[in-house]
Structure formats: C-alpha cells, structure tokens
Amino acid sequence: MRKEDFRILKEGTGDYIPFSYYMSRMPVELDKVDLSDNSGKAVFENPYLKTSQWGWSIDPAGLRIVANDFYTRYAKPLFVVENGLGARDILTEDRKVHDNYRISYLREHIRQLHLAVDDGVEVLGYTTWGCIDLVSQSTGEMSKRYGFIYVDLNDDGTGTGKRYKKDSFYWYQKVIESNGEDLGDIL
C-alpha cells in the first residue's frame, strides 16, 4: 500500500449496497431473558412469525423494511445477493422433490421486494442462496438444503451424488424468464 492508496480508498464510495437477508431478529433485554440452560445465547422468538426447521424467523415484510431503511440511510441502489430457506427436503421414490414451502418463502420475499420498489427503493437485482444443495455453512449439514437442485448426499457422505431438479427449480425458472413479474402459483 502506498500513501495515495489510502486517499483513494477514503474518497471512494460504493456504487450500490449488496446485502443478504434470511430472517429478522428482535432486540432482547438480557436481564429479561432466562439463560438457565447455560447455552450463553439469548434467544427470543417473535410469536407473530413462523420459523424454519432450524428456528430462523420467516419474515418477508422484514426484507421490505430493511430495503427501505438501507435506501433511506445510504441513498444507494440495493442488490439482494442472498435470500433462501434451509429445509429438510425429501426425495420421493420417483426422484422428485416437492418443496412448496421454499416456493412460498421465496415468492413472499420477492413480493415484498416489489413493494419496496413501489416505495421508491432502487433495487438492482435479487439472487437466492443457492442454486444447488451444498453443505450448510451454519450447521455443517447436507440435510439443511437451500438449492433448486437436490444433491443425493447425506450428512455422513453416503449417497449417489446424483442431482434432481426440485419443483422450485421450475418455478424459479419462470420467475427469471419474467424478470420477477410472474411469481406463479405453487406447483
């Protein structure tokens, strides 16, 4: 690094704000939380929201709120770089995965992003996490699946490794083809 590099970095600004959104969180006053389980974590579930199989709140409206907050605060276009639902998908005997819960999750989040655009938020793009099942970074499990393509592998590494398109694959294909205008019905 040279001295002029620091000046350039200080003067430079980003063209847009990229961010990931999976869930909302509630502020918690630690003196009002029971930590008797010795986990060291203060967990408080919002009773008005559903949760995923891993206990993450499902809050599509939160995406609209965050988008409006970021845009108001930074006056920069936004790009949602990650959004998705981890779930235990089941591969049927006929090699199908009927993941209507994922379609519903994504559809409602994209709808809220449309509403943020209606509010005046400039959104450059939206991508999901992820396109194919992989080992979950947060839990180290293969069974926490996010993708549109099912990978036949188990947490212990057994399985064929073959890949199968889920119902959400075909749904999201239509979403992309319509530039987010056709959010369609659950298959």
Side-chain angles (χ1 to χ4, degrees), residues 29-78:
E29 294 180 41
L30 289 179
D31 61 342
K32 296 181 181 177
V33 176
D34 179 13
L35 294 176
S36 60
D37 68 353
N38 296 319
S39 69
K41 295 180 181 178
V43 177
F44 185 80
E45 290 185 19
N46 184 331
Y48 302 102
L49 298 175
K50 294 179 182 178
T51 58
S52 73
Q53 294 170 325
W54 276 265
W56 292 19
S57 64
I58 299 174
D59 187 8
L63 177 57
R64 179 183 182 187
I65 293 166
V66 167
N68 273 279
D69 183 48
F70 283 177
Y71 193 69
T72 300
R73 184 179 303 177
Y74 302 111
K76 297 282 184 184
L78 306 179

Side-chain angles (χ1 to χ4, degrees), residues 118-132:
D118 291 346
D119 296 337
V121 174
E122 186 178 355
V123 177
L124 296 177
Y126 169 89
T127 57
T128 65
W129 181 261
C131 60
I132 190 168

Side-chain angles (χ1 to χ4, degrees), residues 6-177:
F6 289 101
R7 180 186 52 77
I8 292 168
L9 287 172
K10 187 175 182 180
E11 293 172 358
T13 59
D15 296 329
Y16 63 95
I17 306 292
F19 69 101
S20 301
Y21 182 86
Y22 290 94
M23 63 181 155
S24 61
R25 297 187 182 187
M26 289 183 55
V28 175
E29 294 180 41
L30 289 179
D31 61 342
K32 296 181 181 177
V33 176
D34 179 13
L35 294 176
S36 60
D37 68 353
N38 296 319
S39 69
K41 295 180 181 178
V43 177
F44 185 80
E45 290 185 19
N46 184 331
Y48 302 102
L49 298 175
K50 294 179 182 178
T51 58
S52 73
Q53 294 170 325
W54 276 265
W56 292 19
S57 64
I58 299 174
D59 187 8
L63 177 57
R64 179 183 182 187
I65 293 166
V66 167
N68 273 279
D69 183 48
F70 283 177
Y71 193 69
T72 300
R73 184 179 303 177
Y74 302 111
K76 297 282 184 184
L78 306 179
F79 196 117
V80 179
V81 295
E82 289 183 22
N83 177 239
L85 175 70
R88 293 190 190 277
D89 296 334
I90 305 298
L91 185 65
T92 63
E93 284 186 30
D94 61 346
R95 304 294 185 236
K96 307 274 185 208
V97 176
H98 305 295
D99 57 342
N100 292 339
Y101 41 86
R102 179 169 293 106
I103 294 169
S104 177
Y105 175 95
L106 294 172
R107 178 193 298 110
E108 294 312 311
H109 281 79
I110 294 169
R111 280 187 179 150
Q112 289 296 320
L113 204 53
H114 279 248
L115 292 173
V117 170
D118 291 346
D119 296 337
V121 174
E122 186 178 355
V123 177
L124 296 177
Y126 169 89
T127 57
T128 65
W129 181 261
C131 60
I132 190 168
D133 290 342
L134 61 140
V135 175
S136 172
Q137 182 274 330
S138 64
T139 65
E141 298 170 281
M142 189 68 193
S143 56
K144 186 177 186 183
R145 298 174 182 275
Y146 286 89
F148 300 119
I149 299 171
Y150 183 92
V151 178
D152 185 23
L153 288 174
N154 301 308
D155 289 340
D156 64 3
T158 61
T160 65
K162 290 184 179 178
R163 289 141 170 85
Y164 304 94
K165 295 174 184 174
K166 302 176 189 180
D167 288 351
S168 59
F169 175 94
Y170 301 103
W171 173 82
Y172 197 58
Q173 185 176 38
K174 290 178 184 177
V175 171
I176 292 170
E177 288 171 350

